[in-house]
Amino acid sequence: MEQTLSIIKPDAIERNLAEEIKNFFKKNNLNIKDSKKIHITKEEASEFYKVHQSKPFYNDLCAYLSSGPIIVMILEGENAVLSNRKLMGATNPKDADENTIRKMYGISIDKNSVHGSDSVDNAKKEIEFFFKN
Ligand code: CDP
Ligand code: MG
């Protein structure tokens, strides 16, 4: 079974959407194999998002991910990486399809409620980052 990393971002935790989002994954055949609520430092966020270090939004992104508690999860299921990306919807909630997490709950391109790995390779690295010490 494939695994992917999901993060419920601070905007969704703040609005008490974590249970609804978790249930949405379960209902759509992604099992939550592991889950923990953490509050990371800006340095940890910068390390996690380092693929984006040359982007203009990098600094704000790292400040944001470390601004409050998040929930990191290992999701497991058939084609988990792609399946999660479909359930998340487009990066900008304005462009996201109906019945996707970002359409239902996202506020803006930066406060878009969830993160999901974009490839099997990155999923392995991101799971390692949060769950294996
Ligand atoms: O999260 P996703 O893989 O859909 O998008 P990304 O291109 O990998 O960007 C990572 C995150 O950076 C997004 O989820 C947004 O929170 C943020 N971002 C932003 O604040 N402004 C942009 N123009 C693009 C992305
Ligand atoms: Mg991405």
Side-chain angles (χ1 to χ4, degrees):
M1 254 331 155
E2 197 169 283
Q3 294 189 337
T4 191
L5 184 92
S6 170
I7 303 178
I8 304 179
K9 294 182 178 182
D11 66 275
I13 301 288
E14 210 166 66
R15 288 175 291 145
N16 292 311
L17 294 169
E19 281 317 302
E20 272 180 68
I21 292 173
K22 285 181 168 187
N23 286 334
F24 187 72
F25 287 133
K26 292 181 216 163
K27 203 171 69 190
N28 287 282
N29 303 314
L30 286 176
N31 288 320
I32 300 168
K33 292 296 285 183
D34 208 345
S35 170
K36 60 183 177 185
K37 192 174 195 177
I38 55 176
H39 191 158
I40 61 173
T41 63
K42 189 169 179 203
E43 287 65 38
E44 289 168 319
S46 305
E47 178 63 22
F48 178 73
Y49 270 134
K50 70 173 182 244
V51 296
H52 292 304
Q53 60 193 345
S54 64
K55 310 271 174 64
F57 57 82
Y58 179 64
N59 187 57
D60 287 348
L61 174 62
C62 298
Y64 174 60
L65 197 71
S66 57
S67 68
I70 58 175
I71 292 176
V72 292
M73 294 171 288
I74 300 173
L75 303 182
E76 190 176 86
E78 209 171 306
N79 296 315
V81 171
L82 194 61
S83 169
N84 178 42
R85 293 293 308 193
K86 284 188 177 152
L87 295 175
M88 288 164 61
T91 307
N92 191 339
K94 280 191 214 151
D95 302 327
D97 288 339
E98 293 297 327
N99 286 310
T100 61
I101 295 169
R102 284 165 164 174
K103 178 72 173 189
M104 293 188 287
Y105 307 121
I107 296 169
S108 55
I109 192 161
D110 49 328
K111 296 186 172 174
N112 59 6
S113 303
V114 280
H115 165 85
S117 311
D118 62 4
S119 67
V120 172
D121 220 46
N122 283 334
K124 288 198 179 101
K125 289 178 193 156
E126 292 181 358
I127 288 170
E128 183 98 4
F129 184 88
F130 283 113
F131 286 95
K132 321 245 158 76
N133 297 302

